[in-house]
Amino acid sequence: MSDRIEAIKAMLVDNPKDVFLLYSLGMEEISAGRLDLAAGALIECITVDQDYLPARIELGKVLRSGGELNQARAAFEGALDLAIRQEDTHAADSIRQQLDALVQ
């Protein structure tokens, strides 16, 4: 396991609800190729802060990469709804592209 993952996990012991740390853990797990662990960290991040758009987008990507296309679609649709509510047109456009690229 990488030193960065271990360092993030150590910081999470003191701050288990730190959205940035949870997101960072998810991203590091993606880099390490551990999609299940990445998805778990991103889901926890979203549980802590349902409005954290980057975690929702990355969760969709992880699920897509793992072949979980229905779950990926649901994650991207949730991200799109949030982006629209947050009036983030750039993110909304990007998420629409992710949805359009899903093959079922």
Side-chain angles (χ1 to χ4, degrees), residues 58-79:
E58 292 302 323
L59 178 60
K61 292 177 183 178
V62 165
L63 292 168
R64 182 191 58 215
S65 293
E68 303 292 338
L69 300 184
N70 289 333
Q71 293 89 337
R73 180 173 302 284
F76 284 132
E77 287 171 350

Side-chain angles (χ1 to χ4, degrees), residues 1-103:
M1 193 172 303
S2 83
D3 291 340
R4 286 189 298 244
I5 290 173
E6 287 302 318
I8 294 167
K9 286 183 175 182
M11 289 184 276
L12 278 167
V13 169
D14 293 329
N15 301 298
K17 302 294 183 187
D18 185 305
V19 174
F20 181 73
L21 289 176
L22 290 166
Y23 179 76
S24 297
L25 178 60
M27 297 307 291
E28 289 297 329
E29 294 291 10
I30 291 169
S31 294
R34 296 191 294 251
L35 299 181
D36 288 346
L37 294 174
L42 294 168
I43 289 168
E44 181 63 22
C45 181
I46 294 165
T47 300
V48 171
D49 183 353
Q50 294 183 2
D51 292 336
Y52 197 69
L53 186 56
R56 289 182 175 274
I57 295 168
E58 292 302 323
L59 178 60
K61 292 177 183 178
V62 165
L63 292 168
R64 182 191 58 215
S65 293
E68 303 292 338
L69 300 184
N70 289 333
Q71 293 89 337
R73 180 173 302 284
F76 284 132
E77 287 171 350
L80 180 58
D81 289 344
L82 179 59
I84 291 168
R85 284 194 318 269
Q86 292 179 348
E87 299 180 1
D88 187 337
T89 56
H90 177 73
D93 289 343
S94 175
I95 296 163
R96 284 186 188 100
Q97 290 175 355
Q98 295 289 341
L99 281 165
D100 290 345
L102 281 178
V103 177

